[in-house]
Amino acid sequence: QVHLVESGGGLVQAGGSLRLSCAASGRGFSSYTLAWFRQTPEKEREFVAATSWISGNAYYQDSVKGRFNISRDNAKNTVDLQMSSLKPEDSGVYYCAAQQGIRVVVASEYTEWGQGTQVTVSS
């Protein structure tokens, strides 16, 4: 089991960049698929990006491809989300999540969640 804590959110103008970080404590970090989801009051929690411990691949929601990059450091027990060319529709609470399964885009498959960090992109 891992405990996740996000940081790095904030207010940024459209076109700007932010880097979110998620630090994990606990055992077995390298055996978890790690993901970022986001949520707004108008939408259900949606998948943003993931890095699979099984395949080693990264996965992205179509709307963030080419703008966001997910990276993990198993030595430091961290997973980061570098966000560039931000748009107002990228605003929301971003959550870090972990699971040991294979369905990387399905929120209900994730067993561990952080508390979330707010990202606001102004137009």
Side-chain angles (χ1 to χ4, degrees):
Q1 187 174 1
V2 293
H3 177 66
L4 306 171
V5 178
E6 304 96 335
S7 62
L11 173 64
V12 64
Q13 287 190 330
S17 299
L18 273 178
R19 187 177 185 90
L20 305 183
S21 186
C22 176
S25 58
R27 302 181 66 177
F29 179 82
S30 61
S31 300
Y32 281 84
T33 287
L34 302 163
W36 289 92
F37 286 78
R38 65 188 179 197
Q39 188 167 19
T40 65
E42 298 78 25
K43 284 184 174 182
E44 291 186 357
R45 195 167 295 190
E46 65 175 358
F47 171 78
V48 175
T51 172
S52 168
W53 76 277
I54 297 174
S55 67
N57 294 333
Y59 302 85
Y60 298 94
Q61 183 195 110
D62 286 345
S63 70
V64 308
K65 284 180 182 177
R67 301 188 297 121
F68 289 14
N69 184 69
I70 188 170
S71 60
R72 69 188 293 165
D73 186 331
N74 288 335
K76 295 181 179 180
N77 282 12
T78 59
V79 58
D80 291 350
L81 184 68
Q82 177 66 47
M83 306 185 293
S84 303
S85 302
L86 283 162
K87 305 175 182 180
E89 52 263 42
D90 293 319
S91 297
V93 179
Y94 280 70
Y95 296 91
C96 178
Q99 62 148 306
Q100 292 183 300
I102 60 174
R103 298 184 356 173
V104 299
V105 304
V106 181
S108 60
E109 293 291 310
Y110 286 82
T111 55
E112 316 298 332
W113 292 86
Q115 83 287 351
T117 186
Q118 178 71 47
V119 171
T120 303
V121 184
S122 63
S123 57

